[in-house]
Amino acid sequence: MRPILYHKLGNFDLWILSDGELWLDGGSMFGIVPRSLWLKLVTPDEQNRIRLGLNPLLVRAGGHWVLIETGIDRKPGEKFRRLYGLSETNPLLDQLALLGVQPQDISLVVHTHLHFDHAGLNTRLVEGRLLPTFPKARHIVQKQELENALHPHERSQASYRIENVEPLAEQGRFEVVEGEAELLPGLWVLPAPGHTLGMQVVELASEGQRLAYTGDLVALRVQTPLLYIPAFDLYPMTTLETRKKLYARWLEGGYLLCFTHEPGPPLGRLVRGEKGYQAEVVEL
């Protein structure tokens, strides 16, 4: 498991946390890209799975503790954990504790989307009951995403687990936004449809410095090329258009990128050359 990484971005304090790792089918992660090409970038295991990181971002913004994403769901049990190569418990809460942050200290949770590997610790099982993990937090999500998570169709239902969504919805803990919104000074969400229609990215801007948390618009640094779109994306052509729009913004603005599923160094910066868009590693 990757250790906690700290970065100062203007007036923001950032900690890139880890909720362990996730193993997913390599071909699915690279969509139409042939195996002969993606094998040059990543090494699969004997089941053709590749290793992904789980990188929630903790932000200290003024008097607020903000958590971007809540890690992966381990509640379904051993078979589920074995399928995705998961450890038995969530290290995310241990990492928060190492920083002196308790679940009740989190005042804002921001979701890029509500798939089980991004919203898994929204709830915990306590004596057979599903309880909010972050009992004082507002959970920010696009209205479209919440509607889709509560009413999934045949193609999306395996990615949404109702136990991570419905209990919070019933308690009125979700705060929906529609489109671009500033949640705190310098902390924004922007629609980024494609992987799901309601996905969003998170941007931070302070003292001339900018960072974007990519969600699953580009989960891994090696997926930065425009056409390296996973088969998991429900609307791949929409992903392509969203990438074109946001890549231009991030390149022009000199944004740091925090890749949600990168198992290596999680920060990068966009460059554009003869072969199109790539991302260079930014070491901390």
Side-chain angles (χ1 to χ4, degrees), residues 33-177:
V33 177
R35 177 180 166 90
S36 59
L37 291 183
W38 63 256
L39 277 178
K40 298 176 182 178
L41 304 173
V42 294
T43 302
D45 68 4
E46 66 281 357
Q47 298 180 53
N48 202 49
R49 303 178 305 177
I50 64 171
R51 183 168 68 98
L52 279 67
L54 295 158
N55 304 323
L57 182 64
L58 179 68
V59 181
R60 182 67 172 172
H64 297 274
W65 286 108
V66 181
L67 183 62
I68 302 172
E69 313 230 299
T70 65
I72 194 165
D73 195 5
R74 288 169 167 86
K75 294 187 290 293
E78 181 182 353
K79 183 179 179 181
F80 180 86
R81 294 194 301 269
R82 189 169 59 250
L83 176 64
Y84 295 108
L86 302 175
S87 60
E88 186 173 349
T89 59
N90 289 82
L92 174 60
L93 295 178
D94 294 332
Q95 291 203 334
L96 287 171
L98 285 173
L99 296 171
V101 179
Q102 300 302 313
Q104 60 268 25
D105 296 329
I106 304 296
S107 59
L108 194 65
V109 171
V110 185
H111 296 286
T112 61
H113 59 302
L114 292 170
H115 283 173
F116 70 81
D117 55 326
H118 296 259
L121 265 180
N122 282 2
T123 61
R124 285 190 289 178
L125 270 174
V126 180
E127 297 180 352
R129 298 174 59 209
L130 283 169
L131 299 178
T133 303
F134 305 101
K136 296 183 179 180
R138 297 179 293 141
H139 287 250
I140 307 299
V141 67
Q142 290 286 327
K143 181 180 180 181
Q144 178 76 62
E145 181 67 13
L146 182 58
E147 291 176 354
N148 291 348
L150 290 170
H151 307 286
H153 51 65
E154 290 83 355
R155 177 83 196 279
S156 66
Q157 63 186 3
S159 297
Y160 293 116
R161 297 198 65 87
I162 199 67
E163 65 265 30
N164 300 323
V165 182
E166 194 171 71
L168 299 187
E170 290 176 348
Q171 296 178 28
R173 294 180 180 273
F174 283 112
E175 184 173 312
V176 298
V177 296

Side-chain angles (χ1 to χ4, degrees), residues 226-267:
L226 285 174
L227 295 180
Y228 282 36
I229 296 171
F232 297 116
D233 284 28
L234 297 177
Y235 306 92
M237 290 307 297
T238 304
T239 294
L240 179 60
E241 294 307 311
T242 300
R243 283 186 170 193
K244 289 178 180 179
K245 177 182 176 180
L246 288 179
Y247 280 14
R249 172 188 177 91
W250 293 340
L251 185 63
E252 182 181 357
Y255 281 73
L256 282 173
L257 302 183
C258 184
F259 296 105
T260 314
H261 284 304
E262 175 57 48
L267 290 185

